[in-house]
Amino acid sequence: MKPSSDDTLFLPRGRAARAARSGAGWTLPPHLQEQLPRRLRNVAFLYSGAYFLSGLLPDLVTGRTTEFFANPARWIPTLASILGGVAVALLAASPRISWRAKMHLGLVFEVMGSYGIGGVMYAWAEQYRDTPIVFFAIGPSWGAMCMLVYSIVVPAPPGRALLAMIASASAPPVLIGYSLNQAGLTHIFTPETFFLTHIFPYMICVALAYASARIMVTLAADVSRA
């Protein structure tokens, strides 16, 4: 039988997988390329809004703005993170930027966003010099939650997404270690307990986020193939 104009061709899974690669590495299915700017814009605005509600609004409502702005370790990361999210959202909406550039911008934003969150959460070790036990109770931070949400909402090739996740997950242990060192509290952790408390949980988060990102891209590729 001769194929009609209404016939739909299906690529075998192996050929489709090879076709999904380009000279620059992995690509994304066409419909994800189209959705990526909108998803990145929404996530960036959500990040800025959540940061404002949790990091700035309580001080504005309670009248502690003077105290807030008196501490550069609090207001500089907070304002930089809020404005950074807005800037990424505006760039994501620009028609002059390619989807690939926006994808890489989003991955950089994921990493910088984690460091922005950690900069506020962990820059206060000096305040707990008399009760350093609090550092044993700190679980995965807001940065871990943002990493998981980002991996599901904003598409990216799994390999590049994994690199961004690892860099994002480095924020809490790096910033906690720096804060403890500045406060002279590094003695409260042995290397083993620091690993189990502030590194291993984020390794689990990276595994979960990577699995989520891979599933989302694979499902999108199946939809495109179908």
Short mmCIF file of all heavy atoms in Angstrom, two decimals, residues 120-180:
data_model
loop_
_atom_site.label_atom_id
_atom_site.label_comp_id
_atom_site.label_asym_id
_atom_site.label_seq_id
_atom_site.Cartn_x
_atom_site.Cartn_y
_atom_site.Cartn_z
N VAL A 120 21.37 33.30 53.44
CA VAL A 120 20.53 33.85 54.51
C VAL A 120 20.36 32.85 55.65
O VAL A 120 20.38 33.20 56.83
CB VAL A 120 19.15 34.25 53.95
CG1 VAL A 120 18.19 34.60 55.08
CG2 VAL A 120 19.29 35.44 53.01
N MET A 121 20.20 31.58 55.29
CA MET A 121 19.90 30.57 56.32
C MET A 121 21.08 30.26 57.22
O MET A 121 20.91 29.95 58.41
CB MET A 121 19.42 29.28 55.65
CG MET A 121 18.07 29.37 55.00
SD MET A 121 17.46 27.74 54.46
CE MET A 121 17.25 26.92 56.05
N TYR A 122 22.31 30.33 56.68
CA TYR A 122 23.46 29.80 57.41
C TYR A 122 24.51 30.84 57.77
O TYR A 122 25.59 30.48 58.23
CB TYR A 122 24.12 28.68 56.60
CG TYR A 122 23.16 27.60 56.17
CD1 TYR A 122 23.03 27.25 54.84
CD2 TYR A 122 22.37 26.94 57.11
CE1 TYR A 122 22.14 26.25 54.44
CE2 TYR A 122 21.49 25.96 56.72
CZ TYR A 122 21.37 25.62 55.39
OH TYR A 122 20.49 24.65 55.01
N ALA A 123 24.20 32.10 57.59
CA ALA A 123 25.19 33.14 57.89
C ALA A 123 25.05 33.66 59.32
O ALA A 123 25.42 34.79 59.60
CB ALA A 123 25.05 34.30 56.91
N TRP A 124 24.53 32.84 60.20
CA TRP A 124 24.25 33.32 61.56
C TRP A 124 24.85 32.41 62.62
O TRP A 124 24.31 32.30 63.73
CB TRP A 124 22.75 33.43 61.78
CG TRP A 124 21.94 32.39 61.09
CD1 TRP A 124 21.18 32.55 59.97
CD2 TRP A 124 21.79 31.00 61.45
NE1 TRP A 124 20.59 31.37 59.61
CE2 TRP A 124 20.94 30.40 60.50
CE3 TRP A 124 22.31 30.21 62.47
CZ2 TRP A 124 20.59 29.07 60.54
CZ3 TRP A 124 21.97 28.86 62.51
CH2 TRP A 124 21.12 28.31 61.56
N ALA A 125 25.91 31.70 62.32
CA ALA A 125 26.49 30.78 63.30
C ALA A 125 26.93 31.50 64.58
O ALA A 125 26.86 30.94 65.68
CB ALA A 125 27.67 30.03 62.68
N GLU A 126 27.38 32.74 64.44
CA GLU A 126 27.84 33.50 65.60
C GLU A 126 26.74 33.64 66.65
O GLU A 126 27.01 33.66 67.85
CB GLU A 126 28.31 34.88 65.14
CG GLU A 126 28.89 35.75 66.25
CD GLU A 126 30.21 35.21 66.78
OE1 GLU A 126 30.93 34.56 66.00
OE2 GLU A 126 30.50 35.43 67.97
N GLN A 127 25.48 33.72 66.20
CA GLN A 127 24.37 33.88 67.13
C GLN A 127 24.15 32.64 68.00
O GLN A 127 23.51 32.72 69.05
CB GLN A 127 23.07 34.20 66.37
CG GLN A 127 23.15 35.43 65.48
CD GLN A 127 21.88 35.63 64.71
OE1 GLN A 127 20.80 35.28 65.16
NE2 GLN A 127 22.00 36.20 63.51
N TYR A 128 24.66 31.51 67.55
CA TYR A 128 24.41 30.26 68.26
C TYR A 128 25.69 29.70 68.88
O TYR A 128 25.82 28.48 69.06
CB TYR A 128 23.78 29.23 67.30
CG TYR A 128 22.41 29.63 66.86
CD1 TYR A 128 22.23 30.39 65.71
CD2 TYR A 128 21.28 29.29 67.60
CE1 TYR A 128 20.97 30.76 65.29
CE2 TYR A 128 20.02 29.67 67.20
CZ TYR A 128 19.86 30.41 66.04
OH TYR A 128 18.61 30.80 65.63
N ARG A 129 26.59 30.59 69.22
CA ARG A 129 27.84 30.14 69.82
C ARG A 129 27.57 29.40 71.13
O ARG A 129 28.27 28.43 71.47
CB ARG A 129 28.75 31.35 70.08
CG ARG A 129 30.08 30.99 70.71
CD ARG A 129 30.94 32.22 70.92
NE ARG A 129 31.31 32.82 69.65
CZ ARG A 129 32.35 32.42 68.93
NH1 ARG A 129 33.09 31.41 69.34
NH2 ARG A 129 32.65 33.01 67.80
N ASP A 130 26.56 29.84 71.89
CA ASP A 130 26.27 29.20 73.18
C ASP A 130 25.40 27.96 73.03
O ASP A 130 25.28 27.17 73.98
CB ASP A 130 25.58 30.21 74.11
CG ASP A 130 26.48 31.38 74.45
OD1 ASP A 130 27.71 31.19 74.48
OD2 ASP A 130 25.95 32.49 74.66
N THR A 131 24.75 27.80 71.89
CA THR A 131 23.89 26.63 71.66
C THR A 131 24.20 26.02 70.29
O THR A 131 23.32 25.94 69.43
CB THR A 131 22.40 27.02 71.74
OG1 THR A 131 22.16 28.09 70.81
CG2 THR A 131 22.02 27.44 73.13
N PRO A 132 25.42 25.57 70.06
CA PRO A 132 25.78 25.05 68.74
C PRO A 132 25.06 23.76 68.36
O PRO A 132 25.10 23.35 67.21
CB PRO A 132 27.29 24.83 68.85
CG PRO A 132 27.53 24.61 70.29
CD PRO A 132 26.55 25.50 71.00
N ILE A 133 24.38 23.15 69.34
CA ILE A 133 23.66 21.91 69.06
C ILE A 133 22.62 22.12 67.97
O ILE A 133 22.19 21.17 67.30
CB ILE A 133 23.00 21.39 70.35
CG1 ILE A 133 22.47 19.96 70.16
CG2 ILE A 133 21.88 22.31 70.79
CD1 ILE A 133 23.53 18.94 69.93
N VAL A 134 22.20 23.37 67.75
CA VAL A 134 21.18 23.66 66.75
C VAL A 134 21.63 23.21 65.36
O VAL A 134 20.81 22.85 64.51
CB VAL A 134 20.84 25.16 66.76
CG1 VAL A 134 21.98 25.99 66.20
CG2 VAL A 134 19.57 25.42 65.94
N PHE A 135 22.93 23.19 65.12
CA PHE A 135 23.42 22.81 63.79
C PHE A 135 23.25 21.32 63.51
O PHE A 135 23.37 20.90 62.37
CB PHE A 135 24.89 23.21 63.64
CG PHE A 135 25.07 24.68 63.41
CD1 PHE A 135 25.34 25.53 64.45
CD2 PHE A 135 24.94 25.21 62.14
CE1 PHE A 135 25.49 26.89 64.24
CE2 PHE A 135 25.09 26.56 61.91
CZ PHE A 135 25.37 27.41 62.97
N PHE A 136 22.98 20.54 64.55
CA PHE A 136 22.71 19.12 64.34
C PHE A 136 21.25 18.89 63.97
O PHE A 136 20.90 17.81 63.51
CB PHE A 136 23.05 18.32 65.60
CG PHE A 136 24.52 18.22 65.86
CD1 PHE A 136 25.20 19.21 66.56
CD2 PHE A 136 25.25 17.14 65.38
CE1 PHE A 136 26.56 19.11 66.79
CE2 PHE A 136 26.61 17.04 65.61
CZ PHE A 136 27.28 18.03 66.32
N ALA A 137 20.42 19.89 64.20
CA ALA A 137 18.98 19.75 63.94
C ALA A 137 18.58 20.32 62.58
O ALA A 137 17.44 20.14 62.15
CB ALA A 137 18.17 20.46 65.03
N ILE A 138 19.50 21.01 61.90
CA ILE A 138 19.17 21.60 60.61
C ILE A 138 19.05 20.50 59.56
O ILE A 138 19.99 19.77 59.30
CB ILE A 138 20.25 22.61 60.17
CG1 ILE A 138 20.33 23.76 61.17
CG2 ILE A 138 19.95 23.14 58.78
CD1 ILE A 138 21.46 24.72 60.87
N GLY A 139 17.85 20.39 58.98
CA GLY A 139 17.65 19.40 57.93
C GLY A 139 17.87 20.02 56.57
O GLY A 139 18.35 21.15 56.45
N PRO A 140 17.52 19.30 55.51
CA PRO A 140 17.61 19.89 54.16
C PRO A 140 16.88 21.22 54.11
O PRO A 140 15.76 21.37 54.61
CB PRO A 140 16.93 18.83 53.28
CG PRO A 140 17.20 17.55 53.99
CD PRO A 140 17.12 17.90 55.46
N SER A 141 17.51 22.20 53.49
CA SER A 141 17.01 23.57 53.51
C SER A 141 15.97 23.80 52.42
O SER A 141 15.61 22.91 51.65
CB SER A 141 18.18 24.53 53.30
OG SER A 141 18.65 24.41 51.96
N TRP A 142 15.50 25.06 52.35
CA TRP A 142 14.61 25.47 51.28
C TRP A 142 15.27 25.25 49.92
O TRP A 142 14.59 25.04 48.92
CB TRP A 142 14.24 26.94 51.44
CG TRP A 142 13.24 27.20 52.52
CD1 TRP A 142 13.50 27.50 53.83
CD2 TRP A 142 11.82 27.18 52.40
NE1 TRP A 142 12.34 27.67 54.53
CE2 TRP A 142 11.29 27.49 53.67
CE3 TRP A 142 10.95 26.94 51.34
CZ2 TRP A 142 9.92 27.55 53.91
CZ3 TRP A 142 9.58 27.02 51.57
CH2 TRP A 142 9.07 27.32 52.84
N GLY A 143 16.59 25.31 49.89
CA GLY A 143 17.29 25.09 48.63
C GLY A 143 17.02 23.70 48.06
O GLY A 143 16.90 23.53 46.84
N ALA A 144 16.92 22.70 48.93
CA ALA A 144 16.63 21.34 48.47
C ALA A 144 15.23 21.27 47.86
O ALA A 144 15.01 20.62 46.83
CB ALA A 144 16.75 20.36 49.63
N MET A 145 14.27 21.95 48.50
CA MET A 145 12.92 21.97 47.97
C MET A 145 12.87 22.66 46.60
O MET A 145 12.22 22.17 45.66
CB MET A 145 11.98 22.69 48.96
CG MET A 145 10.52 22.68 48.54
SD MET A 145 9.49 23.63 49.70
CE MET A 145 9.78 22.71 51.21
N CYS A 146 13.58 23.77 46.48
CA CYS A 146 13.61 24.49 45.20
C CYS A 146 14.25 23.65 44.11
O CYS A 146 13.81 23.66 42.95
CB CYS A 146 14.37 25.80 45.36
SG CYS A 146 13.51 27.05 46.34
N MET A 147 15.29 22.90 44.47
CA MET A 147 15.96 22.05 43.50
C MET A 147 15.01 20.98 42.98
O MET A 147 14.97 20.69 41.77
CB MET A 147 17.19 21.41 44.13
CG MET A 147 17.99 20.51 43.21
SD MET A 147 19.53 19.96 43.97
CE MET A 147 18.90 19.03 45.38
N LEU A 148 14.23 20.37 43.86
CA LEU A 148 13.29 19.34 43.46
C LEU A 148 12.19 19.92 42.56
O LEU A 148 11.84 19.34 41.53
CB LEU A 148 12.66 18.69 44.69
CG LEU A 148 13.58 17.77 45.50
CD1 LEU A 148 12.95 17.42 46.84
CD2 LEU A 148 13.87 16.50 44.72
N VAL A 149 11.66 21.08 42.95
CA VAL A 149 10.61 21.72 42.14
C VAL A 149 11.15 22.11 40.77
O VAL A 149 10.50 21.87 39.74
CB VAL A 149 10.04 22.94 42.88
CG1 VAL A 149 9.11 23.73 41.95
CG2 VAL A 149 9.29 22.51 44.13
N TYR A 150 12.34 22.68 40.74
CA TYR A 150 12.91 23.13 39.48
C TYR A 150 13.12 21.95 38.53
O TYR A 150 12.84 22.04 37.34
CB TYR A 150 14.23 23.84 39.73
CG TYR A 150 14.82 24.48 38.48
CD1 TYR A 150 14.57 25.82 38.20
CD2 TYR A 150 15.59 23.74 37.58
CE1 TYR A 150 15.08 26.41 37.05
CE2 TYR A 150 16.08 24.32 36.43
CZ TYR A 150 15.83 25.65 36.17
OH TYR A 150 16.32 26.22 35.02
N SER A 151 13.61 20.83 39.06
CA SER A 151 13.90 19.68 38.20
C SER A 151 12.65 19.12 37.55
O SER A 151 12.71 18.54 36.46
CB SER A 151 14.59 18.59 39.02
OG SER A 151 13.71 18.05 39.99
N ILE A 152 11.50 19.29 38.20
CA ILE A 152 10.24 18.78 37.66
C ILE A 152 9.61 19.78 36.69
O ILE A 152 9.07 19.39 35.65
CB ILE A 152 9.25 18.47 38.81
CG1 ILE A 152 9.81 17.33 39.67
CG2 ILE A 152 7.88 18.11 38.28
CD1 ILE A 152 9.00 17.06 40.92
N VAL A 153 9.70 21.07 37.01
CA VAL A 153 8.97 22.07 36.24
C VAL A 153 9.73 22.52 35.00
O VAL A 153 9.17 22.61 33.90
CB VAL A 153 8.63 23.29 37.12
CG1 VAL A 153 7.96 24.39 36.29
CG2 VAL A 153 7.73 22.87 38.27
N VAL A 154 11.02 22.82 35.15
CA VAL A 154 11.79 23.40 34.04
C VAL A 154 12.61 22.29 33.38
O VAL A 154 13.48 21.70 34.02
CB VAL A 154 12.71 24.53 34.52
CG1 VAL A 154 13.42 25.17 33.34
CG2 VAL A 154 11.90 25.58 35.28
N PRO A 155 12.37 21.99 32.11
CA PRO A 155 13.08 20.89 31.46
C PRO A 155 14.52 21.24 31.13
O PRO A 155 14.87 22.38 30.87
CB PRO A 155 12.27 20.67 30.17
CG PRO A 155 11.69 22.02 29.86
CD PRO A 155 11.39 22.64 31.20
N ALA A 156 15.35 20.21 31.18
CA ALA A 156 16.76 20.34 30.80
C ALA A 156 17.27 18.95 30.49
O ALA A 156 16.78 17.96 31.05
CB ALA A 156 17.58 21.00 31.91
N PRO A 157 18.25 18.82 29.60
CA PRO A 157 18.86 17.51 29.37
C PRO A 157 19.37 16.93 30.68
O PRO A 157 19.98 17.65 31.48
CB PRO A 157 20.01 17.82 28.41
CG PRO A 157 19.58 19.07 27.71
CD PRO A 157 18.83 19.86 28.74
N PRO A 158 19.11 15.66 30.96
CA PRO A 158 19.45 15.08 32.27
C PRO A 158 20.89 15.28 32.70
O PRO A 158 21.16 15.54 33.88
CB PRO A 158 19.12 13.59 32.09
CG PRO A 158 18.05 13.57 31.04
CD PRO A 158 18.40 14.69 30.10
N GLY A 159 21.84 15.16 31.77
CA GLY A 159 23.24 15.30 32.16
C GLY A 159 23.55 16.69 32.66
O GLY A 159 24.21 16.87 33.70
N ARG A 160 23.08 17.70 31.95
CA ARG A 160 23.33 19.08 32.37
C ARG A 160 22.54 19.41 33.63
O ARG A 160 23.01 20.16 34.50
CB ARG A 160 22.99 20.03 31.23
CG ARG A 160 23.81 19.75 29.99
CD ARG A 160 23.57 20.76 28.89
NE ARG A 160 24.30 20.36 27.68
CZ ARG A 160 24.42 21.10 26.60
NH1 ARG A 160 23.84 22.29 26.56
NH2 ARG A 160 25.10 20.67 25.55
N ALA A 161 21.34 18.86 33.71
CA ALA A 161 20.55 19.07 34.93
C ALA A 161 21.26 18.50 36.14
O ALA A 161 21.25 19.10 37.22
CB ALA A 161 19.17 18.44 34.77
N LEU A 162 21.90 17.34 35.98
CA LEU A 162 22.61 16.71 37.10
C LEU A 162 23.76 17.58 37.58
O LEU A 162 23.97 17.73 38.79
CB LEU A 162 23.12 15.34 36.67
CG LEU A 162 23.93 14.56 37.73
CD1 LEU A 162 23.09 14.31 38.97
CD2 LEU A 162 24.45 13.25 37.15
N LEU A 163 24.51 18.16 36.66
CA LEU A 163 25.62 19.04 37.06
C LEU A 163 25.11 20.23 37.87
O LEU A 163 25.71 20.61 38.87
CB LEU A 163 26.37 19.52 35.82
CG LEU A 163 27.15 18.46 35.04
CD1 LEU A 163 27.79 19.07 33.80
CD2 LEU A 163 28.21 17.81 35.91
N ALA A 164 23.99 20.81 37.41
CA ALA A 164 23.42 21.95 38.14
C ALA A 164 22.92 21.53 39.52
O ALA A 164 23.05 22.27 40.50
CB ALA A 164 22.28 22.58 37.33
N MET A 165 22.35 20.33 39.61
CA MET A 165 21.86 19.83 40.90
C MET A 165 23.01 19.63 41.88
O MET A 165 22.90 19.99 43.06
CB MET A 165 21.12 18.51 40.70
CG MET A 165 19.82 18.62 39.94
SD MET A 165 19.20 16.98 39.53
CE MET A 165 18.00 17.38 38.26
N ILE A 166 24.10 19.06 41.41
CA ILE A 166 25.25 18.84 42.29
C ILE A 166 25.80 20.18 42.78
O ILE A 166 26.11 20.34 43.97
CB ILE A 166 26.34 18.04 41.56
CG1 ILE A 166 25.85 16.62 41.26
CG2 ILE A 166 27.62 17.99 42.37
CD1 ILE A 166 26.78 15.80 40.41
N ALA A 167 25.89 21.15 41.87
CA ALA A 167 26.37 22.47 42.28
C ALA A 167 25.40 23.13 43.26
O ALA A 167 25.83 23.78 44.23
CB ALA A 167 26.56 23.36 41.04
N SER A 168 24.10 22.95 43.04
CA SER A 168 23.11 23.52 43.97
C SER A 168 23.20 22.86 45.34
O SER A 168 23.12 23.53 46.37
CB SER A 168 21.70 23.32 43.40
OG SER A 168 21.53 24.01 42.18
N ALA A 169 23.38 21.53 45.34
CA ALA A 169 23.45 20.81 46.61
C ALA A 169 24.71 21.13 47.39
O ALA A 169 24.78 20.86 48.60
CB ALA A 169 23.37 19.30 46.35
N SER A 170 25.71 21.71 46.72
CA SER A 170 26.94 22.07 47.44
C SER A 170 26.76 23.30 48.31
O SER A 170 27.57 23.54 49.22
CB SER A 170 28.07 22.31 46.43
OG SER A 170 27.87 23.53 45.71
N ALA A 171 25.71 24.09 48.06
CA ALA A 171 25.53 25.35 48.78
C ALA A 171 25.44 25.17 50.30
O ALA A 171 26.17 25.83 51.05
CB ALA A 171 24.32 26.10 48.24
N PRO A 172 24.54 24.30 50.81
CA PRO A 172 24.43 24.17 52.27
C PRO A 172 25.73 23.76 52.97
O PRO A 172 26.15 24.45 53.91
CB PRO A 172 23.31 23.13 52.45
CG PRO A 172 22.50 23.26 51.22
CD PRO A 172 23.48 23.52 50.13
N PRO A 173 26.40 22.66 52.56
CA PRO A 173 27.63 22.30 53.28
C PRO A 173 28.73 23.35 53.15
O PRO A 173 29.47 23.59 54.12
CB PRO A 173 28.05 20.97 52.64
CG PRO A 173 27.34 20.90 51.35
CD PRO A 173 26.06 21.64 51.54
N VAL A 174 28.84 23.98 51.97
CA VAL A 174 29.88 25.00 51.80
C VAL A 174 29.61 26.19 52.72
O VAL A 174 30.51 26.67 53.42
CB VAL A 174 29.94 25.45 50.33
CG1 VAL A 174 30.79 26.72 50.20
CG2 VAL A 174 30.53 24.35 49.46
N LEU A 175 28.37 26.67 52.72
CA LEU A 175 28.05 27.86 53.50
C LEU A 175 28.01 27.57 55.00
O LEU A 175 28.40 28.42 55.81
CB LEU A 175 26.72 28.45 53.03
CG LEU A 175 26.75 29.00 51.60
CD1 LEU A 175 25.36 29.40 51.14
CD2 LEU A 175 27.69 30.20 51.50
N ILE A 176 27.54 26.39 55.37
CA ILE A 176 27.55 26.02 56.79
C ILE A 176 28.98 25.90 57.29
O ILE A 176 29.33 26.39 58.36
CB ILE A 176 26.79 24.70 57.02
CG1 ILE A 176 25.29 24.92 56.82
CG2 ILE A 176 27.05 24.17 58.42
CD1 ILE A 176 24.47 23.65 56.88
N GLY A 177 29.83 25.24 56.49
CA GLY A 177 31.24 25.11 56.87
C GLY A 177 31.92 26.46 57.01
O GLY A 177 32.68 26.69 57.96
N TYR A 178 31.63 27.36 56.06
CA TYR A 178 32.23 28.70 56.13
C TYR A 178 31.73 29.46 57.36
O TYR A 178 32.52 30.09 58.07
CB TYR A 178 31.87 29.48 54.87
CG TYR A 178 32.32 30.93 54.90
CD1 TYR A 178 33.65 31.27 54.65
CD2 TYR A 178 31.41 31.95 55.20
CE1 TYR A 178 34.06 32.59 54.69
CE2 TYR A 178 31.82 33.27 55.25
CZ TYR A 178 33.14 33.59 54.99
OH TYR A 178 33.54 34.90 55.04
N SER A 179 30.43 29.37 57.63
CA SER A 179 29.86 30.08 58.78
C SER A 179 30.41 29.55 60.09
O SER A 179 30.74 30.31 61.01
CB SER A 179 28.33 29.95 58.75
OG SER A 179 27.74 30.67 59.81
N LEU A 180 30.53 28.23 60.19
CA LEU A 180 31.10 27.64 61.41
C LEU A 180 32.55 28.04 61.58
O LEU A 180 33.00 28.30 62.71
CB LEU A 180 30.97 26.12 61.36
CG LEU A 180 29.56 25.53 61.47
CD1 LEU A 180 29.60 24.02 61.25
CD2 LEU A 180 28.93 25.86 62.81
#
